[in-house]
Amino acid sequence: MSWVLLFKALHIFFMVAWFAGIFYLPRLFVYHAETAEAAVSEQFKIMERRLLYFVTPFAILTIVFGLLVIMIYGRDWFRFSLWLHVKFVFVILLYVYHGYCFKLLKDFKENRNKRSSRFYRIFNELPVLLLLAIVLLAVMKPVIAI
Protein backbone atom coordinates (compact mmCIF):
# COMPACT_ATOMS: atom_id res chain seq x y z
CA MET A 1 0.00 0.00 0.00
CA SER A 2 1.20 3.50 -0.80
CA TRP A 3 1.23 5.64 2.33
CA VAL A 4 1.48 8.83 0.35
CA LEU A 5 -1.72 8.06 -1.58
CA LEU A 6 -3.55 7.13 1.62
CA PHE A 7 -2.40 10.34 3.31
CA LYS A 8 -3.36 12.41 0.25
CA ALA A 9 -6.81 10.83 0.20
CA LEU A 10 -7.31 11.49 3.92
CA HIS A 11 -6.01 15.04 3.49
CA ILE A 12 -8.59 15.67 0.76
CA PHE A 13 -11.39 13.93 2.69
CA PHE A 14 -10.86 15.97 5.85
CA MET A 15 -10.46 19.17 3.82
CA VAL A 16 -13.83 18.57 2.13
CA ALA A 17 -15.48 17.81 5.48
CA TRP A 18 -13.91 20.94 7.01
CA PHE A 19 -15.08 23.11 4.13
CA ALA A 20 -18.63 21.82 4.38
CA GLY A 21 -18.73 23.41 7.82
CA ILE A 22 -16.73 26.49 6.90
CA PHE A 23 -19.16 27.21 4.07
CA TYR A 24 -22.25 26.68 6.23
CA LEU A 25 -21.26 28.39 9.49
CA PRO A 26 -21.19 31.96 8.12
CA ARG A 27 -24.56 31.29 6.50
CA LEU A 28 -25.88 30.54 9.99
CA PHE A 29 -24.30 33.81 11.12
CA VAL A 30 -26.22 35.60 8.33
CA TYR A 31 -29.55 34.23 9.54
CA HIS A 32 -28.61 34.79 13.17
CA ALA A 33 -27.78 38.44 12.51
CA GLU A 34 -31.17 38.87 10.82
CA THR A 35 -33.28 37.43 13.63
CA ALA A 36 -34.81 39.49 16.40
CA GLU A 37 -36.52 36.63 18.20
CA ALA A 38 -34.77 35.44 21.36
CA ALA A 39 -35.82 31.80 20.97
CA VAL A 40 -34.56 31.68 17.39
CA SER A 41 -31.32 33.36 18.43
CA GLU A 42 -30.77 30.74 21.13
CA GLN A 43 -31.32 27.97 18.59
CA PHE A 44 -28.75 29.54 16.25
CA LYS A 45 -26.26 29.73 19.12
CA ILE A 46 -26.57 25.98 19.64
CA MET A 47 -26.31 25.19 15.93
CA GLU A 48 -23.29 27.46 15.41
CA ARG A 49 -21.40 26.10 18.41
CA ARG A 50 -22.05 22.48 17.49
CA LEU A 51 -21.05 23.01 13.88
CA LEU A 52 -17.83 24.86 14.66
CA TYR A 53 -16.74 22.31 17.24
CA PHE A 54 -17.71 19.48 14.89
CA VAL A 55 -15.57 20.72 11.99
CA THR A 56 -12.56 21.87 14.01
CA PRO A 57 -11.11 18.32 14.26
CA PHE A 58 -11.43 18.12 10.46
CA ALA A 59 -9.33 21.28 10.18
CA ILE A 60 -6.69 19.71 12.42
CA LEU A 61 -6.67 16.43 10.51
CA THR A 62 -6.43 18.30 7.21
CA ILE A 63 -3.14 19.87 8.24
CA VAL A 64 -1.85 16.67 9.86
CA PHE A 65 -2.29 14.60 6.71
CA GLY A 66 -1.02 17.42 4.50
CA LEU A 67 2.16 17.63 6.56
CA LEU A 68 2.56 13.85 6.43
CA VAL A 69 2.46 14.00 2.63
CA ILE A 70 5.13 16.69 2.66
CA MET A 71 7.28 14.63 5.02
CA ILE A 72 7.07 11.61 2.71
CA TYR A 73 8.05 13.68 -0.33
CA GLY A 74 10.97 15.11 1.59
CA ARG A 75 12.74 18.31 2.42
CA ASP A 76 14.24 18.88 -1.05
CA TRP A 77 10.88 18.49 -2.76
CA PHE A 78 9.36 20.96 -0.33
CA ARG A 79 12.20 23.45 -0.74
CA PHE A 80 11.84 23.51 -4.54
CA SER A 81 8.03 23.43 -4.66
CA LEU A 82 7.48 27.15 -4.37
CA TRP A 83 3.83 26.76 -5.40
CA LEU A 84 3.39 24.91 -2.10
CA HIS A 85 4.81 27.85 -0.17
CA VAL A 86 2.19 30.10 -1.76
CA LYS A 87 -0.46 27.50 -0.98
CA PHE A 88 0.65 27.58 2.66
CA VAL A 89 0.00 31.32 2.80
CA PHE A 90 -3.59 30.72 1.70
CA VAL A 91 -3.94 27.77 4.08
CA ILE A 92 -2.72 29.93 6.98
CA LEU A 93 -5.35 32.52 6.02
CA LEU A 94 -7.98 29.77 6.21
CA TYR A 95 -6.88 28.82 9.71
CA VAL A 96 -7.01 32.49 10.72
CA TYR A 97 -10.52 32.61 9.23
CA HIS A 98 -11.46 29.49 11.19
CA GLY A 99 -10.07 31.00 14.39
CA TYR A 100 -11.96 34.23 13.77
CA CYS A 101 -15.16 32.18 13.58
CA PHE A 102 -14.61 31.33 17.26
CA LYS A 103 -14.53 35.04 18.06
CA LEU A 104 -17.74 35.62 16.10
CA LEU A 105 -19.33 32.64 17.84
CA LYS A 106 -18.44 34.18 21.21
CA ASP A 107 -19.89 37.53 20.17
CA PHE A 108 -23.20 35.89 19.28
CA LYS A 109 -23.15 33.79 22.46
CA GLU A 110 -22.78 36.92 24.58
CA ASN A 111 -25.29 38.88 22.47
CA ARG A 112 -22.54 41.30 21.40
CA ASN A 113 -22.80 40.92 17.64
CA LYS A 114 -22.46 44.31 16.00
CA ARG A 115 -22.11 43.11 12.41
CA SER A 116 -24.83 43.08 9.79
CA SER A 117 -26.05 40.13 7.78
CA ARG A 118 -24.37 41.80 4.78
CA PHE A 119 -20.99 41.51 6.52
CA TYR A 120 -21.59 37.79 7.07
CA ARG A 121 -22.65 37.31 3.44
CA ILE A 122 -19.34 38.76 2.31
CA PHE A 123 -17.47 36.89 5.04
CA ASN A 124 -19.07 33.70 3.70
CA GLU A 125 -17.38 34.20 0.31
CA LEU A 126 -13.80 34.46 1.58
CA PRO A 127 -13.15 30.72 2.00
CA VAL A 128 -14.54 30.12 -1.49
CA LEU A 129 -11.86 32.35 -2.98
CA LEU A 130 -9.14 30.83 -0.83
CA LEU A 131 -10.23 27.31 -1.76
CA LEU A 132 -10.14 28.20 -5.45
CA ALA A 133 -6.58 29.51 -5.15
CA ILE A 134 -5.47 26.48 -3.13
CA VAL A 135 -6.99 23.96 -5.54
CA LEU A 136 -5.50 25.73 -8.56
CA LEU A 137 -2.07 25.71 -6.96
CA ALA A 138 -2.32 22.06 -5.89
CA VAL A 139 -3.49 20.83 -9.27
CA MET A 140 -1.47 23.05 -11.61
CA LYS A 141 1.71 23.26 -9.50
CA PRO A 142 2.92 26.35 -11.34
CA VAL A 143 6.61 27.03 -11.58
CA ILE A 144 7.28 30.05 -9.41
CA ALA A 145 10.63 31.76 -9.70
CA ILE A 146 12.16 33.88 -6.97
Side-chain angles (χ1 to χ4, degrees), residues 7-93:
F7 293 161
K8 278 184 183 182
L10 290 171
H11 174 67
I12 292 167
F13 171 79
F14 287 117
M15 182 272 305
V16 169
W18 176 30
F19 268 87
I22 286 298
F23 287 156
Y24 187 52
L25 181 64
R27 182 57 47 187
L28 290 176
F29 290 158
V30 168
Y31 302 140
H32 195 165
E34 290 176 344
T35 190
E37 295 181 38
V40 175
S41 179
E42 291 304 313
Q43 185 63 43
F44 277 124
K45 289 176 188 180
I46 293 167
M47 293 169 65
E48 293 158 355
R49 186 189 77 245
R50 286 181 178 169
L51 179 59
L52 187 54
Y53 282 93
F54 178 73
V55 300
T56 295
F58 299 148
I60 294 166
L61 290 168
T62 298
I63 197 76
V64 166
F65 286 107
L67 291 173
L68 285 170
V69 169
I70 291 169
M71 287 173 49
I72 289 172
Y73 278 115
R75 184 177 305 173
D76 287 337
W77 175 82
F78 177 74
R79 190 172 72 224
F80 293 111
S81 298
L82 296 181
W83 64 269
L84 186 57
H85 298 220
V86 176
K87 178 185 167 191
F88 265 138
V89 171
F90 293 130
V91 169
I92 289 167
L93 289 173

Side-chain angles (χ1 to χ4, degrees), residues 97-114:
Y97 180 95
H98 187 100
Y100 188 63
C101 286
F102 279 99
K103 188 248 186 256
L104 296 173
L105 182 77
K106 184 178 181 190
D107 287 348
F108 276 115
K109 177 183 176 187
E110 297 173 355
N111 297 316
R112 291 186 299 141
N113 176 54
K114 302 284 190 247

